[in-house]
Amino acid sequence: MKTIGYVYASSEESYVKEQIEGLKSVNIETVTVEEEMNEGISQNDDVLKEIVATLGSGDELVVYELRCLGKSIIQLAEFLAELKEKNIQLVVVKKGAAYSDIDDAPYVEMILKIAEMEKMIIRERTTKGLQEARRKGRVGGRPKISEETIEQIRFLYNNNRYTLRQIAEECNISLGTAYKYVQER
């Protein structure tokens, strides 16, 4: 069984040190410190993905706090589901005073439930917003073009009078739309 620690690249050097000190309290084989990019903090999680790829069933990934994973609640849920699927245990050193006596498995399960709830709330709000917009007469998507405009596009193209770019400008449409209707015939 492997136990690997992960240290998030924070813009606060003191927080990086705090993470490293916090991870020392746990028996860890390897601690991987994400490097800070020249322009600022790394926005991708390639280092974390590499760590997870090296871990197998029964191994542990140790982080100082959940925020060290650098993920939103929904991204965190997807990440935790991936760990669960691979049977990798997530160990969180600093959970907060109210949760310090909870084991890691129930703690992670609680986070998954909260993220699930957040997804449902977002889905419901989006659906309600779309319904309200439709009720007010607003329809999403690209505006439809008239049959006359489609015929004009095809006429201009078939008579070799204009290029697709000129047709798009003449008919006040995008180049992609002009191409689409020329190809459909």
Side-chain angles (χ1 to χ4, degrees):
M1 179 177 99
K2 281 195 257 180
T3 304
I4 296 181
Y6 171 73
V7 174
Y8 178 67
S10 174
S11 58
E12 301 171 31
E13 195 174 312
S14 62
Y15 186 64
V16 172
K17 290 177 182 175
E18 182 182 338
Q19 289 178 71
I20 293 170
E21 288 301 314
L23 292 179
K24 286 181 180 177
S25 67
V26 183
N27 187 20
I28 300 176
E29 293 173 25
T30 309
V31 174
T32 303
V33 180
E34 185 176 280
E35 301 223 0
E36 192 173 329
M37 305 286 266
N38 289 340
E39 308 86 46
I41 302 304
S42 170
Q43 291 299 310
N44 61 33
D45 57 355
D46 291 340
V47 173
L48 190 56
K49 286 178 185 175
E50 288 174 24
I51 292 171
V52 171
T54 64
L55 295 172
S57 181
D59 291 343
E60 293 179 337
L61 172 63
V62 183
V63 294
Y64 181 61
E65 292 179 298
L66 277 178
R67 87 174 201 180
C68 298
L69 293 172
K71 299 183 179 299
S72 72
I73 190 73
I74 293 174
Q75 293 168 333
L76 181 62
E78 292 167 358
F79 179 73
L80 295 176
E82 179 186 351
L83 293 181
K84 191 174 182 179
E85 183 181 306
K86 293 181 176 186
N87 196 27
I88 298 170
Q89 302 301 312
L90 178 67
V91 177
V92 181
V93 175
K94 184 180 173 188
K95 296 177 196 148
Y99 309 106
S100 61
D101 52 347
I102 297 176
D103 288 338
D104 289 309
Y107 183 71
V108 167
E109 198 61 40
M110 180 180 63
I111 299 300
L112 282 169
K113 292 294 181 195
I114 291 170
E116 236 176 75
M117 179 184 66
E118 181 70 13
K119 278 184 185 180
M120 289 189 310
I121 289 170
I122 290 170
R123 188 176 300 127
E124 284 178 18
R125 286 181 184 160
T126 302
T127 302
K128 284 180 184 178
L130 289 171
Q131 288 171 346
E132 182 67 19
R134 285 187 199 109
R135 190 178 64 71
K136 291 180 178 178
R138 285 182 259 140
V139 182
R142 292 185 178 198
K144 300 204 183 320
I145 60 173
S146 68
E147 199 58 46
E148 295 164 351
T149 305
I150 296 171
E151 288 175 20
Q152 183 183 9
I153 294 167
R154 291 180 179 150
F155 177 80
L156 293 173
Y157 184 78
N158 291 332
N159 290 324
N160 295 326
R161 290 186 182 172
Y162 294 95
T163 65
L164 280 177
R165 187 170 305 283
Q166 291 170 327
I167 292 170
E169 288 174 14
E170 178 74 24
C171 297
N172 199 24
I173 57 172
S174 71
L175 185 59
T177 301
Y179 183 75
K180 171 186 171 184
Y181 287 108
V182 166
Q183 295 297 312
E184 279 184 359
R185 295 184 211 212

